[in-house]
Amino acid sequence: MSRLNFKLLTLLLVTFATVISAELFTVHVGANDNLIYDPQKTTGLKLGDVVQFVWDSGFHSVTPSDGPDGSCTPSKTIPEIQAPTDKPDHNVTFEIKEDTPSTVFYFCTVSDHCSEGMFGSLERA
């Protein structure tokens, strides 16, 4: 087998293994009509995993921050995951990629939601 074919096969196997082992994590937005993300901290994320934000109630956003936990300032490097809305028109997802920081902090930009505790984090394993 030529070196090029071997490299392509290796790349395909690594990609396939990553896709097969990817997990779906769920974070509820506005759970129980409260100003919270549930869970507030999602840990153990690996490359290829997907976090799905599910709107339970209210008008909220999912806006990354550069940290620390509880920071209410938008990130300069990670784009907004979901602008303020009370009902997204599609599933709101965030995929863990190679360039994803080891911890992604996020918060709700609506009114005083962040200062009232509506913030969370995603942590890689």
Side-chain angles (χ1 to χ4, degrees), residues 3-16:
R3 283 189 131 165
L4 180 59
N5 286 342
F6 183 73
K7 286 181 181 181
L8 286 173
L9 179 61
T10 302
L11 179 62
L12 286 172
L13 288 174
V14 168
T15 302
F16 185 70

Side-chain angles (χ1 to χ4, degrees), residues 63-122:
T63 305
S65 165
D66 291 327
D69 212 11
S71 172
C72 301
T73 303
S75 174
K76 293 181 173 114
T77 59
I78 305 171
E80 189 161 51
I81 297 168
Q82 175 60 57
T85 184
D86 62 349
K87 190 174 184 182
D89 61 355
H90 61 283
N91 290 334
V92 179
T93 59
F94 182 80
E95 182 180 352
I96 305 302
K97 299 178 181 178
E98 287 185 28
D99 62 345
T100 302
S102 59
T103 302
V104 175
F105 301 99
Y106 59 90
F107 68 101
C108 181
T109 59
V110 176
S111 190
D112 295 330
H113 292 189
C114 182
S115 62
E116 292 182 29
M118 194 166 188
F119 55 85
S121 63
L122 309 173

